Amino acid sequence: MERPLDCLNNLVHDDWLIGYDSRQFNQIAQELYLELTQLSAYGTPPKIILAEREPLRFLASFIAACAANCPVFLCNPDWGTQEWQQVFDLVHPDIVLGMGNGEWGTCTERLVPSVRVASRREVEVSRSMGNGHNNNSQCPIPNSIMIPTGGSSGQIKFSIHTWETLISSVQGFTEYFQLIQVNSLCVLPLYHVSGLMQFMRSFITGGKLAILPFKVLESGQILNIKQSEFFISLVPTQLQRLLQNPELTKWLSQFNTVLLGGAPAWNELLEKARFYRIRLAPTYGMTETASQIATLKPDDFLSGKISSGQILPHAKVTIRNQQGEILNSNQIGNITIHAQSLSLGYYPITRDNQADFQVDDLGFLDNQGHLNIVGRNSDKIITGGENIYPAEIESAIQATQMVADICVIGIPDKHWGQALTAIYIPKKSDISALKIQTLLKDKLSKFKIPKYWIPQQYLPRNSQGKINRQQLQQIATEFIQNPIT
């Protein structure tokens, strides 16, 4: 397996970054690698927070840190003070890269006044005196790569990966799609696993990587690439926005493959993509698995298949009941994953990489070996003794074509245990909950039609489209306590 420095040297003469200077990338990475290697001579490699806004510097810094065997924490430079406080309390970094003028340790006093990170010179002096790290929190795994994940709680966690786990994901991807090189157009954040893995696929395989902020793309500005030779990854809300623009819809339809993940896609959106012959590849994966472990190939999608596709070669999925017994095809149960790309835990606590990873999702494997997701254990709503999964209700409401966005939750109810509550964005101001309920009567059982309907101007989703359910609970509680009359 090629190491980061080997891959960097393999690309030294290639113009592989589209829209950026490939030689500058190589120069920054090589220079930073040498500096970090020198610092490591004074003790264990320094822990690095990487919060660089500029894509080229972010990627070059990431490769330099990996090559120098430095533990690196990928961070969102747009996090607020409270989030940064969480990060610094957890990590206690030696070095911060990014967000300043290029010098280490320049951004932290502005972001979190109570925290100060050692500068480059201070790290050198401390280590030359034999003091080692300037903090008392060591990384449990050398040369680890910490990728942020927060789920729906909003509490930042770091999933512990290594170069090896990320490479396993790349190998599974290339084998599944039978590729030697992977060309990607990345419109997702590079600190997020879905953005990082697009870079990794191109970097490892010697393919091309084009980077374009989604806001720029949405405005109609596109890069001069041959879409039929490229992959692009989107989350459902991004796909929805692009399909509202006829020119961008036509542009998107010319891609080799449009990977879709990050959050569940609703049926209306999938049907619209199929109508416009978008070569969509719905995926299933997460930060803990270094992106996708199941993907539906575009030809299967266009032929009408609805699933998350087959399991990629580097992974294995079993469906188990609550007793841990493996279920047969088409039986719904808990999804358990075993993959070479599995993370080693959540910083700073490690887990056995060989252990099975049971996720919160419920699903089944059909007779063709395709993975089908039906909901989440944690989202399950029990009302009047009936188990209800919000995904079914949300899909039915989306099909009415009266809402722009929808999320169904359960709120405490003294009579029913939980009451179904729909929090939605109406497509038009004159659309009422009664109109939607009327259309649902022939599609859903009576007990599956939400009791409460709460219109909103927007729903609290993150950049990957995942909903913040804690905020929705607050919205619902306030609405019911103070109903609009």
Side-chain angles (χ1 to χ4, degrees), residues 349-366:
I349 301 172
T350 60
R351 62 184 288 275
D352 181 2
N353 185 236
Q354 301 304 311
D356 288 338
F357 180 56
Q358 183 171 311
V359 298
D360 191 39
D361 297 310
L362 296 169
F364 65 92
L365 291 167
D366 62 25

Side-chain angles (χ1 to χ4, degrees), residues 380-394:
K380 181 174 68 176
I381 300 167
I382 303 177
T383 180
E386 299 282 357
N387 291 342
I388 296 175
Y389 294 98
E392 178 191 4
I393 317 300
E394 291 163 357

Side-chain angles (χ1 to χ4, degrees), residues 176-246:
Y176 186 68
F177 283 102
Q178 298 183 322
L179 299 167
I180 297 175
Q181 292 183 321
V182 181
N183 301 323
S184 294
L185 170 58
C186 182
V187 299
L188 294 168
L190 292 169
Y191 62 81
H192 191 274
V193 68
S194 55
L196 180 70
M197 291 313 300
Q198 289 178 76
F199 159 73
M200 288 292 293
R201 292 172 199 139
S202 296
F203 184 71
I204 298 301
T205 66
K208 303 281 187 183
L209 177 68
I211 303 172
L212 184 67
F214 183 75
K215 288 183 179 179
V216 176
L217 171 60
E218 193 177 14
S219 71
Q221 301 179 53
I222 58 176
L223 293 174
N224 184 23
I225 62 171
K226 190 174 181 181
Q227 297 99 294
S228 61
E229 298 177 355
F230 277 75
F231 286 76
I232 184 173
S233 294
L234 300 172
V235 299
T237 51
Q238 291 177 327
L239 176 62
Q240 182 186 36
R241 291 176 188 173
L242 294 183
L243 292 182
Q244 291 171 351
N245 183 322

